[in-house]
Amino acid sequence: MENLTQTLENKTSVESVKISGSEAVMRSLLAEGVNTIFGYPGGAIMPIYDALYHYTDKLQHILTRHEQGAIHAAQGYSRVTGKVGVCMATSGPGATNLITGIADAMIDSTPLVCITGQVPSHLLGTDAFQETDIIGISIPVTKWNYQVTSADEIPEALAKAFYIAQSGRPGPVLIDITKDAQFAELDFKYEHCKSLRSYNPAPKPKISGIQEAATLINQAKKPYILAGQGVLIAQAEQQLKQLAETAGIPVASTLLGLSALPKDHPLYVGMLGMHGNYGPNVLTNECDLLIAIGMRFDDRVTGRLDAYATQAKVIHIEIDPSEINKNVKADVPLVGDAAKTLNQLLPLIQPNKHKSWVRQFQDFDQIEYEKVIKRETHPKEGEIKMAEVIRFLNEETKGKAVLVTDVGQHQMIATRYYHFQDPKTNVTSGGLGTMGFALPSALGAKLGVKNTREVICIVGDGGIQMTIQELATMAQFGIAVKIIVLNNSFLGMVRQWQQLFHEKRYSSTEMVNPDFIAVAKGFGLEAEKVTVRQELNSALKRMLEHNGPYLMEVVVEKEDNVFPMIPSGEAVNKVRLS
Amino acid sequence: MSTATNGQSTEKQFTLSVLTENKSGLLNRITGIFSRRKINIDAINVSVSEIEGVSRYTIMIRTERNKAEKIVQQILKQVEALDARLYEPDEVHYQEIALYKIPLNAFVNENKVEKLVRQNGARILAMEEDYILLEKTGHKSETRALFEQLKPFGVLEFIHSGSVVVSKGNKVPEEIL
Ligand SMILES: Cc1ncc(C[n+]2csc(CCOP(=O)(O)OP(=O)(O)O)c2C)c(N)n1
């Protein structure tokens, strides 16, 4: 079998053979090293699904229960593996159901190739059954998209798609293939795409910039590194660590940069942003040098821009030139891949320790611990708090699990308190804040890491109901995700804002929920509900020991709030602790 | 540091000169960058350029400089964009073309219209049974001025194109590729 596969693959890339467009899609995917796809069939993509039928030994297809589930699963798969996530959908509603995931992948720089079926080319523009202009609809949310109307375009279009999706700043690409192009025959020959004249995915920083940056770093009294997802995408974790350790620079992380440096690293000071840690936010306005690496100064990180780090010089290491000076002006822009740029910079960096500066972070930590963290993670009485669930999870998983979070209070609590140890173990919807992301994304992540890691999905009672049908996917394919529903019977994060900024007018945020245990069991999952603190740890153990997908519902305090918090539009140093 | 959004906030006229691959859908991608930021395009001209397979866009907008600069970055970010440059009016040679449809009987009027045509460097493009079509190239102010002068004689239709521009530098597009 192995031999056969190899000859087949060699064949695909050397001599040409006559095959259908649909089979060309399969062979192109194999040539790109794809082995897992997520999708949902329908009329306009049936020839491709028919071809897939003959490739199931090499291409595992996961039939989700909604196209949004398929694309989020592809995102989760991509985020933990670093590979391109692949999903397929039919035309019309199938294709439009992908849009939320495409937008999410665009803003969070996740490489995806989405393949959609389209009505036959002679019907284009006639409002044919299930025709939508998915190319037009997806333009603003794709890095690139293309409609294939003839079979012989397929290999080249897919080669370009994979190349564009994963190079430079990664992003989603959509390839729409008309049904006649799927049926028609072509001479198949696959050539990987290696460059495009209009596209420079590997910009290199100016040498003078590297030198200026080194001088600024060597002279700084209070240098401060902000690490974003660019570090993880470029696999620059070692370089980041080396820069921090050599020059004694504290490192804070954006939401998507979490896990670039282990949480217990002595120079790791915490998370940035609206619900980030106290010191990292306040001290942004006290540092003398910001070294931003692979991050884009999102408004959730900067708060009020005209009061953001106005005292500091800024070095911005970023592969996407359009991010330079977009929100925060860079004194030294270094446009390039984070790993390669840091490799150039590191030899110029002089050893240093900024002890009293680092201690300032520790002092803030102490305050945050006393005023917030202690009562959140070690409550003595009252209902269960989200943070103590994460504390127990830390103890049980030693920070080694992949944590997939949805959007809301539980997301902020889980990412604040989980002790990430290894790169690419944090999967969350950052830029778009897509409720419903976690459940499908977790199943994709689990297929990505296989048995090497636990995948824990932390989700709210609101968010899980947006994509709850994917429990069926987990059950059908035996995808052993461990789901923790933190149930506060509210759309908690919205309720928190209503409490703090709208005089507790709880407009449409309280929910009468289904019996999640019965629902999970109905879908074929093991499930358990926890309502008292004493049972929490043993229930967690039972969940982790279970061999297969599992849902644990934890009834948590209903009207709990996430702190610290920078109120929307305020300066980063206006953090509230209560 | 300073934020990238403060600084001069006065609106000015800018011309963007953009080169892209000649691919369907790209016009949508480019114009979407403006509409998403609620910037109105005053004039746009798209045509094939002197380079095979390459389109040239000339886009006129009124906005603040830093917004215009960010737009250029967003255009360059598109995979199939080859080049994008921002010009203020004094950095480019630009020209528009205007057409004026004048009723024939206006010409029997003591040669007044003919005189206007000559004075303004316009020319007669077509003569039909009941109207004459005039053409004038020039800056917007000039084509507009002729329109005002022709008005008393009854202008049936007046249309002018967006500008086409070339920069005053001597860079040739091939160097960009
Ligand atoms: C698709 C979508 N719709 C609406 C929102 C707005 N939103 C943000 S957080 C939130 C509440 C989430 O509630 P829940 O899932 O129960 O989590 P909790 O905040 O209670 O932990 C809402 C409605 C969103 N982020 N995504």
Side-chain angles (χ1 to χ4, degrees):
Chain A
M1 188 67 237
E2 190 72 86
N3 273 342
L4 189 83
T5 317
Q6 258 167 20
T7 31
L8 201 86
E9 269 159 28
N10 284 342
K11 221 174 171 181
T12 59
S13 48
V14 194
E15 353 159 344
S16 72
V17 283
K18 217 167 182 68
I19 55 172
S20 72
S22 297
E23 194 176 351
V25 172
M26 297 302 119
R27 294 217 191 168
S28 303
L29 293 176
L30 289 176
E32 291 292 342
V34 175
N35 55 35
T36 307
I37 16 184
F38 305 88
Y40 209 97
I45 199 167
M46 281 185 67
I48 288 180
Y49 271 85
D50 194 47
L52 179 65
Y53 190 77
H54 303 287
Y55 280 80
T56 44
D57 55 335
K58 294 180 223 75
L59 286 168
Q60 182 188 22
H61 178 269
I62 303 296
L63 173 66
T64 54
R65 295 305 188 264
H66 191 293
E67 290 85 356
Q68 187 184 352
I71 189 163
H72 288 331
Q75 290 179 273
Y77 179 86
S78 172
R79 291 271 282 270
V80 298
T81 60
K83 291 171 57 176
V84 176
V86 180
C87 66
M88 304 201 300
T90 191
S91 66
T96 56
N97 276 344
L98 295 178
I99 292 296
T100 302
I102 298 176
D104 194 285
M106 184 71 173
I107 202 163
D108 280 352
S109 314
T110 310
L112 295 183
V113 169
C114 308
I115 298 170
T116 51
Q118 181 57 281
V119 301
S121 54
H122 72 273
L123 292 178
L124 286 172
T126 64
D127 303 317
F129 178 64
Q130 293 194 328
E131 183 195 4
T132 52
D133 174 15
I134 197 61
I135 292 294
I137 291 172
S138 66
I139 279 177
V141 288
T142 47
K143 186 171 172 188
W144 183 67
N145 63 9
Y146 186 73
Q147 185 173 63
V148 171
T149 50
S150 116
D152 51 22
E153 295 177 282
I154 287 174
E156 197 191 332
L158 284 172
K160 260 175 96 170
F162 277 87
Y163 171 64
I164 292 170
Q166 62 195 320
S167 56
R169 178 176 176 175
V173 167
L174 183 138
I175 302 292
D176 194 34
I177 310 179
T178 58
K179 199 170 178 177
D180 50 328
Q182 299 171 37
F183 276 127
E185 289 203 325
L186 71 152
D187 282 321
F188 182 80
K189 185 160 167 282
Y190 200 81
E191 275 173 66
H192 291 278
C193 178
K194 296 200 180 75
S195 73
L196 293 169
R197 66 171 181 180
S198 59
Y199 174 58
N200 177 13
K204 290 190 184 65
K206 292 202 188 89
I207 298 293
S208 60
I210 298 276
Q211 280 155 351
E212 275 177 70
T215 308
L216 283 179
I217 294 171
N218 290 335
Q219 287 171 354
K221 299 277 178 290
K222 299 176 169 187
Y224 183 22
I225 295 174
L226 312 181
Q229 194 192 201
V231 174
L232 293 157
I233 294 171
Q235 296 179 283
E237 299 89 0
Q238 279 312 315
Q239 289 89 334
L240 168 69
K241 194 165 147 218
Q242 206 184 325
L243 175 63
E245 289 174 358
T246 307
I249 309 176
V251 181
S253 167
T254 66
L255 175 63
L256 291 193
L258 290 174
S259 83
L261 211 58
K263 199 110 168 195
D264 52 9
H265 189 282
L267 286 165
Y268 178 71
V269 295
M271 184 165 85
L272 297 163
M274 182 174 272
H275 293 291
N277 292 104
Y278 191 32
N281 279 320
V282 172
L283 294 173
T284 300
N285 281 1
E286 284 182 32
C287 67
D288 61 358
L289 177 66
L290 272 188
I291 308 156
I293 311 177
M295 57 86 77
R296 59 186 177 88
F297 294 106
D298 174 75
D299 53 282
R300 280 291 192 269
V301 161
T302 63
R304 200 177 130 187
L305 257 189
D306 62 8
Y308 181 78
T310 48
Q311 80 295 340
K313 291 257 188 226
V314 176
I315 298 170
H316 195 178
I317 302 176
E318 167 61 49
I319 198 163
D320 176 358
S322 74
E323 292 298 344
I324 304 291
N325 296 343
K326 188 183 83 176
N327 297 330
V328 169
K329 193 138 180 54
D331 297 283
V332 182
L334 298 177
V335 180
D337 168 272
K340 293 195 180 115
T341 306
L342 288 175
N343 282 341
Q344 281 179 273
L345 188 60
L346 281 167
L348 309 180
I349 300 302
Q350 288 156 11
N352 208 334
K353 288 196 165 56
H354 298 279
K355 276 195 175 155
S356 65
W357 169 233
V358 174
R359 196 168 318 115
Q360 271 184 272
F361 284 89
Q362 291 157 355
D363 295 344
F364 275 99
D365 261 2
Q366 204 49 43
I367 301 170
E368 186 177 342
Y369 184 78
E370 288 304 326
K371 297 204 163 156
V372 179
I373 300 175
K374 194 160 85 179
R375 66 157 198 255
E376 293 295 318
T377 54
H378 293 81
K380 295 260 163 7
E381 56 195 10
E383 287 170 284
I384 300 176
K385 284 183 158 272
M386 292 183 180
E388 55 182 320
V389 180
I390 307 303
R391 174 169 66 91
F392 283 121
L393 194 63
N394 281 330
E395 289 165 12
E396 292 303 321
T397 63
K398 306 278 181 278
K400 289 287 194 185
V402 169
L403 198 75
V404 185
T405 46
D406 208 67
V407 173
Q409 292 184 312
H410 65 279
Q411 174 190 35
M412 291 297 117
I413 295 290
T415 49
R416 279 175 54 79
Y417 294 105
Y418 192 66
H419 286 176
F420 295 100
Q421 289 301 308
D422 301 312
K424 297 197 170 77
T425 52
N426 164 47
V427 180
T428 197
S429 165
L432 204 66
T434 306
M435 281 174 75
F437 174 85
L439 205 66
S441 186
L443 79 84
K446 184 64 193 171
L447 288 164
V449 296
K450 306 212 168 62
N451 290 329
T452 62
R453 282 181 199 280
E454 285 285 359
V455 172
I456 315 280
C457 168
I458 310 275
V459 58
D461 47 314
I464 193 175
Q465 292 182 69
M466 285 210 171
T467 44
I468 200 162
Q469 70 284 351
E470 301 310 333
L471 293 175
T473 313
M474 292 180 189
Q476 177 173 349
F477 294 91
I479 305 167
V481 174
K482 305 299 157 71
I483 304 154
I484 302 178
V485 183
L486 297 176
N487 184 355
N488 53 14
S489 298
F490 266 111
L491 296 172
M493 186 57 94
V494 179
R495 188 211 53 75
Q496 170 168 347
W497 285 47
Q498 289 171 335
Q499 178 183 346
L500 299 177
F501 312 115
H502 299 273
E503 286 95 36
K504 279 203 178 192
R505 289 185 295 274
Y506 290 164
S507 177
S508 294
T509 42
E510 191 161 14
M511 282 183 299
V512 176
N513 282 321
D515 176 344
F516 288 113
I517 304 305
V519 170
K521 289 193 168 154
F523 275 109
L525 271 73
E526 286 290 321
E528 180 176 353
K529 180 170 181 169
V530 179
T531 52
V532 290
R533 176 163 292 120
Q534 290 69 22
E535 284 170 20
L536 197 50
N537 202 13
S538 54
L540 255 181
K541 284 198 163 88
R542 279 192 290 281
M543 174 178 85
L544 292 171
E545 271 156 25
H546 178 73
N547 200 359
Y550 193 102
L551 183 143
M552 173 173 151
E553 175 190 358
V554 184
V555 177
V556 296
E557 190 175 327
K558 277 186 88 168
E559 297 186 35
D560 204 0
N561 291 328
V562 186
F563 285 107
M565 176 175 195
I566 304 168
S568 186
E570 286 272 19
V572 278
N573 55 345
K574 296 274 166 30
V575 189
R576 288 176 56 174
L577 291 179
S578 59
Chain B
M1 69 119 246
S2 60
T3 62
T5 42
N6 63 16
Q8 325 95 306
S9 64
T10 43
E11 289 204 346
K12 281 193 204 161
Q13 186 187 311
F14 292 99
T15 302
L16 287 89
S17 181
V18 179
L19 294 176
T20 73
E21 298 289 358
N22 183 6
K23 293 281 167 64
S24 86
L26 211 54
L27 174 61
N28 250 330
R29 244 180 215 282
I30 303 291
T31 55
I33 292 167
F34 295 84
S35 53
R36 177 176 172 192
R37 289 165 181 78
K38 214 162 183 221
I39 292 177
N40 197 29
I41 293 176
D42 292 331
I44 182 165
N45 182 290
V46 189
S47 58
V48 292
S49 72
E50 64 276 28
I51 312 163
E52 176 130 357
V54 173
S55 306
R56 182 193 291 283
Y57 295 56
T58 305
I59 304 167
M60 314 264 282
I61 54 173
R62 274 195 80 76
T63 188
E64 294 147 29
R65 175 161 270 280
N66 79 63
K67 285 192 185 159
E69 282 170 356
K70 284 178 197 176
I71 286 204
V72 168
Q73 288 305 312
Q74 294 298 325
I75 292 173
L76 286 170
K77 183 173 171 168
Q78 302 306 319
V79 171
E80 287 167 333
L82 290 152
D83 189 51
R85 279 151 207 264
L86 185 65
Y87 297 109
E88 294 200 19
D90 62 351
E91 294 172 301
V92 284
H93 302 286
Y94 58 97
Q95 204 68 311
E96 291 178 5
I97 178 165
L99 303 177
Y100 312 76
K101 198 194 263 182
I102 315 289
L104 196 60
N105 58 22
F107 278 76
V108 290
N109 204 322
E110 304 166 38
N111 294 346
K112 272 191 185 159
V113 174
E114 269 184 81
K115 224 186 228 162
L116 280 178
V117 170
R118 254 181 287 117
Q119 282 168 355
N120 284 279
R123 68 183 184 113
I124 294 170
L125 201 63
M127 262 202 213
E128 301 293 333
E129 233 169 78
D130 46 3
Y131 67 86
I132 287 185
L133 191 61
L134 301 179
E135 176 209 284
K136 170 167 173 53
T137 55
H139 288 186
K140 187 183 268 159
S141 56
E142 296 168 325
T143 55
R144 189 87 213 168
L146 178 58
F147 171 64
E148 294 301 332
Q149 289 170 286
L150 287 170
K151 246 185 186 170
F153 305 96
V155 179
L156 298 171
E157 262 182 72
F158 166 54
I159 183 164
H160 65 90
S161 69
S163 294
V164 289
V165 307
V166 289
S167 74
K168 289 184 177 171
N170 54 8
K171 204 165 173 76
V172 289
E174 278 83 356
E175 287 174 29
I176 292 156
L177 303 185

